[in-house]
Amino acid sequence: MLLLDGKAASKAVKTTLQQQTQQLISDGKRPPHLAAVLIGNNGASETYVASKVKTCEEIGFHSTLLRLDESITEAELLEKIDQLNNDDSIDGILVQLPLPKQISESKVINSISPEKDVDGFHPVSVGRLVQGLETFIPATPYGMMLMLEHYKIETKGKHAVVIGRSNIVGRPMSVLLSSNLLYGNCTVTITHSHTPNLAEITRSADIIVAALGRPGFVKADMVKEGAVILDVGITRVPDPNTAKGYRIQGDVDFEAVSQKASAITPVPGGVGPMTIAGLMKNTLDAYTRRKG
Ligand code: NAP
């Protein structure tokens, strides 16, 4: 069984980005610049944003963290995004989700300039992805594609089953795996909470992407011998034996499924680090495309 190590694979991506950034600086250019918008005090969001900012520093990108109060109005937030859109020194903008309830997520996503949409959630980015055009791929599916590439996992002609159809993970991943790409060309089945006989479907999968947010959902009897398993789930499960009082658990019963899988991502340390790598690649791409 091959452990798909997200820390190692993301390090490889980050090292390349670091070298490309060094080259830009040697050429007398400024480095790429990511602006992250964090609203309120959600613990998980704080952790994710801190990790993104830290990775920017490691690579040599500039980053700006805009912290806004939980009580901000939608109009005020849209005004801030407009300022970032019009700031020529900023290449990529991300607004950490979820948003406070008074703010429409779709309005915020739509307000980010498509040329700075490094999260790849804007309808223009999604449309371009579906049409196979140059775009920003949402970071988590992008990270998983980079993982497949890093470990040279054969995908052509395989049956991939994606569990979950969210706009940020499941649906774009189903599009990528079915696209005519070196690590695509799968026959894809996308499943969701209304899918009957899910276990029957997953048992026929060569590749399973578990992105539903239910810890330990994918059991060994749902998996074919030799399948490749990408576990996207990140759920905080209460655990009094840890300092934080919780541990992170994936959507796959790792202990049992890893006995049958040919390759599997751990949680943590699998898809999570690759997500940040995907975001960083998008940021450099945004810079390059804007600079023409
Ligand atoms: P989401 O928006 O809640 O979507 C979950 C999807 O799973 C929905 O499409 C839902 O179906 C489907 N689902 C729920 N129960 C199901 C069941 N019993 N059988 C089949 N499908 C089922 O979640 P998300 O944002 O995609 O995130 C999924 C998980 O990935 C979460 O644990 C999240 O924390 C994690 N995540 C990790 C990363 C990372 O970097 N590693 C990034 C993003 C998200 P319906 O559409 O029918 O409701």
Side-chain angles (χ1 to χ4, degrees), residues 6 39 64 68 107 200 258 275 282-283:
I39 302 153
T64 296
L68 301 171
K107 269 195 197 168
E200 216 170 277
S258 58
T275 293
N282 277 342
T283 304

Side-chain angles (χ1 to χ4, degrees), residues 50-63:
S51 176
K52 291 167 187 175
V53 168
K54 183 167 159 267
T55 308
C56 280
E57 283 164 11
E58 283 166 15
I59 292 174
F61 290 174
H62 283 159
S63 65

Side-chain angles (χ1 to χ4, degrees), residues 269-280:
V271 174
M274 295 312 292
T275 293
I276 297 193
L279 173 70
M280 296 297 132

